[in-house]
Amino acid sequence: VEDGILELRRLSKELDNEFFEFQIELLENMSKYSGWMNMWICELEVDVSYRLIQWCEKYGYLNHLAHIYVYSYNSDYMSFSKVEGMEERIPEFHKGVALAEKLDNCWFLVEAYRKNIMLASIHGYFDVCIYFYQASLKVIKRSQDKVKEAGTYNGIGYSYCGLEKYEEANEYYNKALELFYHLELQFLLFLVFVLHCLINIHQLEH
């Protein structure tokens, strides 16, 4: 990809075309995140030129701009150490979310929150995970995606386990079980049921 982008840059100098330059710089940003599909590099921050932001606005690439704000900024895990003051610590993320809301891009909103959930989860900030799961849940209910809703309940249950709040975990695991049962997703139903049983065993032992 890097060799291809270098060749495109060489061509853009010959063409002296601003829109072509914009497309190349946008492609370069996207390639850093495997086309914004690789969530396992959620801690990767990439320098973004001011002109790329301006070009996205000028040419109406607002969905792309939302992705840039979410993935290229605010990936320091320390920003997710507590819920209080969260909005002030991740301003670009909220710019991206605001754009996605304007575009009614529910799919991306869920993905944006998932990035933060992953960042918080791998560092053990489970209260922050719940904060973003709840924000995600509002979007998912709007889109009426019952599978994602059940998965979100499961994630909240897991986060409460991380906080050793087992009654709350049980409550959300039960919500996930109920939805998976009605959706007839037996494998996921079984997985959540196992987690539910493990919590009950833990509670009995303590």
Side-chain angles (χ1 to χ4, degrees):
V1 175
E2 289 180 3
D3 289 342
I5 288 172
L6 285 172
E7 179 61 19
L8 288 171
R9 287 197 183 282
R10 185 187 67 76
L11 286 171
S12 73
K13 288 180 181 178
E14 294 178 9
L15 295 170
D16 192 26
N17 184 300
E18 182 186 87
F19 184 70
F20 191 39
E21 283 186 61
F22 161 54
Q23 295 277 293
I24 295 166
E25 196 158 333
L26 182 61
L27 177 63
E28 185 174 21
N29 182 277
M30 292 175 67
S31 70
K32 300 292 185 183
Y33 300 94
S34 302
W36 295 318
M37 296 302 291
N38 188 350
M39 291 302 299
W40 296 107
I41 50 176
C42 59
E43 289 188 279
L44 175 66
E45 285 197 12
V46 174
D47 288 334
V48 178
S49 69
Y50 180 60
R51 72 175 187 171
L52 178 58
I53 302 294
Q54 287 185 310
W55 279 339
C56 284
E57 293 173 347
K58 177 180 178 178
Y59 293 113
Y61 278 57
L62 299 183
N63 189 52
H64 292 74
L65 182 55
H67 281 71
I68 290 168
Y69 277 138
V70 166
Y71 291 124
S72 295
Y73 295 92
N74 307 143
S75 296
D76 180 1
Y77 75 93
M78 290 302 295
S79 297
F80 300 89
S81 59
K82 59 182 180 179
V83 173
E84 294 76 15
M86 181 65 66
E87 292 197 15
E88 290 77 15
R89 293 195 299 276
I90 52 172
E92 286 82 11
F93 173 82
H94 286 290
K95 286 182 182 178
V97 165
L99 280 172
E101 285 281 5
K102 182 179 179 180
L103 297 167
D104 196 29
N105 190 341
C106 291
W107 181 87
F108 176 61
L109 283 167
V110 173
E111 290 299 297
Y113 290 126
R114 189 160 73 98
K115 173 211 168 184
N116 289 356
I117 290 165
M118 288 180 67
L119 274 170
S121 181
I122 59 180
H123 294 287
Y125 302 135
F126 295 111
D127 54 338
V128 174
C129 290
I130 293 166
Y131 172 82
F132 285 114
Y133 269 128
Q134 294 289 4
S136 180
L137 191 58
K138 291 177 184 177
V139 178
I140 291 167
K141 285 184 175 181
R142 223 164 64 206
S143 63
Q144 299 184 336
D145 187 329
K146 294 299 180 183
V147 175
K148 282 187 178 178
E149 184 178 342
T152 302
Y153 289 140
N154 188 50
I156 295 173
Y158 176 82
S159 299
Y160 272 122
C161 282
L163 294 172
E164 298 185 354
K165 294 183 176 181
Y166 299 110
E167 286 186 15
E168 290 88 344
N170 255 328
E171 177 188 342
Y172 281 94
Y173 279 141
N174 279 330
K175 289 182 177 183
L177 282 168
E178 185 178 350
L179 270 180
F180 283 138
Y181 175 77
H182 287 299
L183 293 166
E184 298 183 355
L185 296 172
Q186 284 85 358
F187 179 67
L188 293 172
L189 179 66
F190 172 74
L191 286 178
V192 180
F193 180 72
V194 169
L195 290 169
H196 192 276
C197 290
L198 289 172
I199 289 174
N200 287 329
I201 290 168
H202 185 277
Q203 285 180 311
L204 286 171
E205 289 178 347
H206 294 81

